Structures are given as C-alpha cells and as structure tokens.
Amino acid sequence: GPALLFVKTSQGKEEGRRFYACSACRDRKDCSFFQWEDEKVSETRLAAREEYNRNHQPSFTHRQNVDRYKNFVQLPSSKRRFCQECQQLLLPAEWEKHSDHHFLCDITTAQLRSPSQLLYPLENKKTNAQYLFADRSCQFLLNLLIDLGFRRVLSVGTPRLHEMIQSKASQDEEFSVRSLLLDIDFRYSQFYTEDEFCHYNMFNHHFFGGEAARETCRKFLYEENGERVIMVTDPPFGGLVEALASSFKKLMAMWRETEKEGHDYKEMPMFWIFPYFFESRILDFFPGFSMMDYQVDYDNHALYKHGKTGRKQSPVRIFTNLTPSMIVLPEEEGYRFCTVCQRYVSSGNQHCEICNSCTSKDGRRWKHCVLCKKCVKPSWFHCNNCNCCALQKHSCEKTDVGCFVCGKAGHKRSACPSLS
C-alpha cells in the first residue's frame, strides 16, 4: 500500500530532508523501498518497481483460497495436509510439488478453527511481530465484550480473538457475537471468507482487496445502525503510534458515517492493547482514552507473561474510550475496585492521597516525590542535579543534551517549536 512520509533530521539543524519509506517495514532488508520527497523517478525505475510488486504477489487470491478451503474440508482426515515451509493447505494434486518439504498430516477440524496455532507466528520485531494472546487474556477479553453488550467485534490485528469468536459461533447456535478480522497476514485468507477477513495494513489504512474489502468493513460497521460494535486492536509494539492513530481515526470515521439518532457513544468504542509506557503518546491522539490495569499476556513472548513479579510482569495494557468503571477486572487475579478513582486497579496499585489517584503503571507500589510533585517508580530517587527522579545509578550528563533539532534544553525533538 501507500508509503509513509518521514523526515531525516541532523543534530542542530532545524530542517530535515523528507523521504518516503515502507509503512509496515522499518528494516530495509524486509522492504528496500526508499525515495526522497523531491526526487524525480525515471520511467525505468517505476517499471522495475511495478515488476517487483507483480512478482511478490501471493500464489492465490482470497477468492481462490476460499474455494480451496471448501475442497480441503471435504477431504477425509487422512488426505488433509499442511505444508509448514510454504504455510499452505495442500490439496492431494499438490502433494508431489511439496514432497521434499516438511508438512503436517491428518489436519483436524479443531486445527482449522485455530489457524493461529497452525501457522508459524511472524516474529520480525521491525515488521509485523506477531505475538498472540494467551488463552487467559483472550477469554477475559471475550467475556468482557459479551458482558458489556457488544455483539460485533472489528478485530484489527487480533487473530486469536477472532478465531475464538469464530470457533464458538460455529459450535454454539446461541452464541451471537460476530467478528471481522483486519490483518496484514494474508495467510489467514486460507481459512476465512471475504466476509470474515480483510487483508489490511493498519499503518496506512490500506485495504489490499480494494473497494470491495472496504465495503465489507463498512457493511460490518453499519449493521444495527452502528450499535453494539467495538474495535479491538493489538498493533506491533514497534509501530509508529502516529501512523496507527491516523488509521484508527479513519476506521472510526467510517463507523461515524452510520450515525443515527440514539447512538450510545459519540465515538466508536475501542480497546487499544499496547504497553503502558506508550500512554502519553496514545493520549496525545486520543485524549479521552484511559489505561486499565489489566495485564495482557502472550503465548509466544518470553517477557509478556502474567503472574511474574516486580519488573518482570507484562507491561501490556488496555487503553479504552469506555467509562473506566464499566471495565470489571477479575478479583481472583488480585484486581480491586477503587471507589475514589471509580475503576478497577491491580493489588499493588495503592491510592495516593496527594495525587488523588491510583498512580502505579507497572503493577508495583509507587511512591510520592514531594519535589517532583508526582508518584514515581519505587526504584527511583530524586536527583538534585537533574531536578527529577531517576534510577540511582543514572548518568547525570544527559541533562546537558538539548533538543536534537535546535540544541536547546527543556524539550524533546517531537515537541520542538522549530518544527512546523
């Protein structure tokens, strides 16, 4: 899809040079696309780029994958194979072509309902790091959505939540929740129809299926006049918050077009799942959001696990525009309701009478610093040289370093008044 416009800045220089680069891949090894904004591109180079794009298209279209799936599920279990190297469901006529590859045999219906466990997770942190919700978090999210009365979930980059909803719906006729998955991983098109999955890039709001896919999303949001639908998104943590926020606002605008009299919400309800240390960045773009204390954990991430102590706890939280008191967190996991803050907090998050808030972000009990006039992490101490709290063994020299753009102290590059 479309590239993003970046700026290359140099220390002490107010103006940088702007360039276009891939929206999804920050590593040039994954996508070598680079073009200065003011660069004139030759016809030859444009043609080479088109040829490259043509040669890197998926083997099958989404429609072809849907037809292949229909044929696949009709096969007896003994003839159902999945190529692990090509990450592809195989029909008997294709076995010979994959004969020297590793493949799984006797693929069950249960495995087909859980494609995220069949497919290898994409784990390039700079491109599309695919960390998948643990069952505990996935089940909690689904139960919470049902309790809040939502019946449609726009699952943006949350394949495991989507498949849990799909699986329950296929096994229980009374289960009334539906999901539409928007994800950049085209492999899911092998398991879901065009009404269940759209190939989508959340960094530039690009639907690879064009207007037909966009219309699928629009129709999904329009049902019931846009009521009882929520967006749940779990972006790669290395992604640019600004680009993500721009896409999410466009999805919200798509929902807002459905607005009729009697809408319960002014903006589309949303759960943005992201590490707590991005709180200020998210609030820059969505000032009405609040961060919940619930720790989201992942199956295939060594650090993001629930139940560890100290700094080893998962830093991933739920940011939402719903009223915090509505989000009930499980008391059996140590969460409790703070009557002053009117929200559920973790057991270690003690209410600070001076800040008049439950201030901890990471699950540990924070302490109030009178000089900083705020609560800080328990391992931090006030440094008179820096005039703020920091780790005891921090380097004070950093206080002499000014803004990367203008060189002046007191602000970061992103807030530099020299930048337009």
Side-chain angles (χ1 to χ4, degrees), residues 277-290:
F277 38 81
F278 282 103
E279 182 181 20
S280 62
R281 295 292 292 138
I282 291 176
L283 295 183
D284 283 344
F285 298 102
F286 294 103
F289 274 39
S290 305

Side-chain angles (χ1 to χ4, degrees), residues 5 168 170 239 300 331 375 377:
L5 184 62
K168 285 184 185 292
S170 66
N300 57 328
E331 292 182 7
C375 285
K377 294 180 179 180

Side-chain angles (χ1 to χ4, degrees), residues 269-281:
M270 180 177 172
F271 285 168
W272 180 341
I273 293 156
F274 225 48
Y276 71 81
F277 38 81
F278 282 103
E279 182 181 20
S280 62
R281 295 292 292 138

Side-chain angles (χ1 to χ4, degrees), residues 227-379:
E227 294 291 343
R228 303 206 292 179
V229 62
I230 185 170
M231 185 196 328
V232 181
T233 182
D234 181 34
F237 302 149
L240 278 171
V241 174
E242 186 174 0
L244 292 166
S246 173
S247 294
F248 300 154
K249 284 182 177 182
K250 285 172 183 172
L251 287 169
M252 284 178 161
M254 197 184 281
W255 169 83
R256 205 172 292 116
E257 291 168 16
T258 70
E259 196 157 351
K260 302 257 175 91
E261 290 298 319
H263 249 333
D264 289 339
Y265 303 102
K266 289 181 180 175
E267 66 178 9
M268 183 182 181
M270 180 177 172
F271 285 168
W272 180 341
I273 293 156
F274 225 48
Y276 71 81
F277 38 81
F278 282 103
E279 182 181 20
S280 62
R281 295 292 292 138
I282 291 176
L283 295 183
D284 283 344
F285 298 102
F286 294 103
F289 274 39
S290 305
M291 187 180 82
M292 302 297 99
D293 272 24
Y294 183 80
Q295 292 182 20
V296 181
D297 59 333
Y298 296 79
D299 265 351
N300 57 328
H301 197 294
L303 298 177
Y304 296 174
K305 298 277 188 189
H306 170 72
K308 294 186 177 181
T309 55
R311 295 191 65 203
K312 303 259 182 189
Q313 299 175 82
S314 171
V316 187
R317 304 288 184 268
I318 300 170
F319 294 86
T320 183
N321 51 3
L322 297 180
T323 306
S325 59
M326 295 168 65
I327 316 296
V328 179
L329 304 185
E331 292 182 7
E332 63 273 15
E333 291 184 17
Y335 298 102
R336 57 182 177 78
F337 190 75
C338 174
T339 52
V340 183
C341 295
Q342 282 292 294
R343 70 181 181 97
Y344 279 82
V345 295
S346 61
S347 55
N349 194 356
Q350 297 298 311
H351 192 87
C352 174
E353 299 295 338
I354 304 168
C355 297
N356 195 28
S357 173
C358 291
T359 51
S360 172
K361 308 289 184 188
D362 61 7
R364 296 178 294 170
R365 184 171 185 170
W366 284 21
K367 61 185 182 182
H368 191 85
C369 174
V370 179
L371 297 172
C372 289
K373 296 180 181 176
K374 65 177 183 179
C375 285
V376 297
K377 294 180 179 180
S379 54

Side-chain angles (χ1 to χ4, degrees), residues 17-112:
R17 194 174 177 194
R18 304 193 331 164
F19 65 93
Y20 290 100
C22 179
S23 61
C25 307
R26 290 185 300 146
D27 196 326
R28 293 276 157 77
K29 291 174 186 171
D30 296 311
C31 180
S32 59
F33 180 84
F34 180 94
Q35 183 180 310
W36 293 111
E37 185 189 23
D38 53 5
E39 183 181 358
K40 287 186 178 177
V41 183
S42 67
E43 291 294 329
T44 309
R45 198 164 143 208
L46 281 173
R49 192 180 290 166
E50 288 295 325
E51 181 64 22
Y52 179 88
N53 287 345
R54 264 195 303 274
N55 292 336
H56 286 77
Q57 294 300 310
S59 308
F60 300 101
T61 64
H62 194 164
R63 169 54 32 206
Q64 288 172 325
N65 274 336
V66 170
D67 291 338
R68 286 166 53 79
Y69 184 81
K70 286 176 185 172
N71 293 330
F72 189 88
V73 293
Q74 287 172 358
L75 294 170
S77 180
S78 60
K79 292 198 171 181
R80 291 181 184 176
R81 291 187 182 181
F82 177 77
C83 179
Q84 289 183 294
E85 290 181 39
C86 301
Q87 293 286 280
Q88 187 180 311
L89 296 172
L90 298 180
L91 297 172
E94 299 160 345
W95 290 359
E96 193 176 337
K97 197 164 49 170
H98 297 259
S99 58
D100 56 343
H101 293 179
H102 293 287
F103 49 79
L104 297 173
C105 300
D106 303 319
I107 302 298
T108 64
T109 304
Q111 284 175 298
L112 293 173

